[in-house]
Amino acid sequence: SRGSRTPRTMAAMAETPPTMTRTRPNILITGTPGAGKTNTSSMVAERTGLRHVECSELVKSEGCHEGWDEEFQSYTLDEDKLCDVLEPMMAEGGIVVDFHSCDFFPERWFDLVLVLTCDNTALYDRLVERGYAAKKVEENVQCEIMQVVLQEAKESYAEEVVHQVTSDTIDDMESNVNRVAQWMEQWVADNGES
């Protein structure tokens, strides 16, 4: 459990645990809907050669849900089924996972958790532009104000793995992609194939 783990430094986190056989890292990019996860994840995958897995698409294509929720205009997630679908990919490594929730994924899957945060006005505008219902827009903006996703990440993963970044502009996004690419170069140097 998280509470019994000895804190580790970034250098120690970059080293491969003895039981891990992955030669490429797994990255989780998370944040409130509209924060820029899919665009950032696509850019990270393109820049690093990692495979982008958009969980919202897997939920639909692999039936990782318990049906449609009319009130929220979304599928009710079956977390266990989604994890079962992702497990073989995550064991192989080299995956960028893109999802708005993060507290149910196994901690061992991710070497980096990037939490995108966004200005509330920009987020509101993005969600309205997507055609979200007023209730869904309000709920998501409230989640961003309360930093729900960031708190979930901090409670679910080791402190040194979780990094909060701003995702208000294209410049922010490009800066975040550059940071992830630099991090990955170091991870591969420390853990990749010899």
Side-chain angles (χ1 to χ4, degrees):
S1 84
R2 283 219 56 239
S4 64
R5 181 191 9 238
T6 305
R8 298 170 67 188
T9 65
M10 275 302 257
M13 283 303 294
E15 295 174 4
T16 307
T19 58
M20 186 164 76
T21 58
R22 291 188 281 114
T23 58
R24 301 196 63 179
N26 289 327
I27 299 169
L28 172 61
I29 298 182
T30 190
T32 304
K37 296 176 301 300
T38 301
N39 288 334
T40 301
S41 297
S42 293
M43 290 170 67
V44 165
E46 184 177 318
R47 173 88 180 268
T48 63
L50 298 178
R51 177 179 169 201
H52 175 204
V53 175
E54 189 177 349
C55 287
S56 61
E57 291 302 316
L58 276 184
V59 168
K60 290 183 263 186
S61 68
E62 299 294 325
C64 302
H65 59 81
E66 298 167 356
W68 183 256
D69 183 320
E70 279 298 325
E71 181 181 4
F72 290 101
Q73 295 294 297
S74 63
Y75 289 101
T76 302
L77 177 65
D78 182 334
E79 296 172 354
D80 291 335
K81 187 164 185 181
L82 180 59
C83 287
D84 288 346
V85 169
L86 286 169
E87 180 69 44
M89 293 181 239
M90 302 309 292
E92 186 177 315
I95 304 295
V96 178
V97 171
D98 154 11
F99 202 51
H100 62 269
S101 185
C102 63
D103 60 347
F104 64 93
F105 293 125
E107 183 180 5
R108 64 184 157 74
W109 279 3
F110 299 107
D111 304 292
L112 175 67
V113 176
L114 199 66
V115 182
L116 305 183
T117 59
C118 185
D119 172 77
N120 298 327
T121 302
L123 181 63
Y124 178 88
D125 292 344
R126 291 175 190 176
L127 296 176
V128 168
E129 186 177 306
R130 287 183 180 184
Y132 280 24
K135 181 174 182 168
K136 194 170 181 177
V137 170
E138 181 181 333
E139 179 183 83
N140 283 308
V141 170
Q142 286 297 319
C143 283
E144 184 66 14
I145 290 168
M146 303 300 291
Q147 298 187 329
V148 171
V149 178
L150 177 61
Q151 194 59 41
E152 283 181 359
K154 288 180 174 181
E155 291 173 359
S156 301
Y157 303 95
E159 180 181 345
E160 57 273 6
V161 172
V162 178
H163 297 273
Q164 175 186 1
V165 296
T166 302
S167 183
D168 292 336
T169 66
I170 296 295
D171 288 343
D172 290 339
M173 195 177 302
E174 289 171 354
S175 174
N176 295 336
V177 170
N178 289 336
R179 289 174 62 189
V180 171
Q182 290 171 351
W183 172 88
M184 185 179 152
E185 286 176 16
Q186 187 61 52
W187 190 95
V188 170
D190 293 344
N191 301 287
E193 298 175 13
S194 338

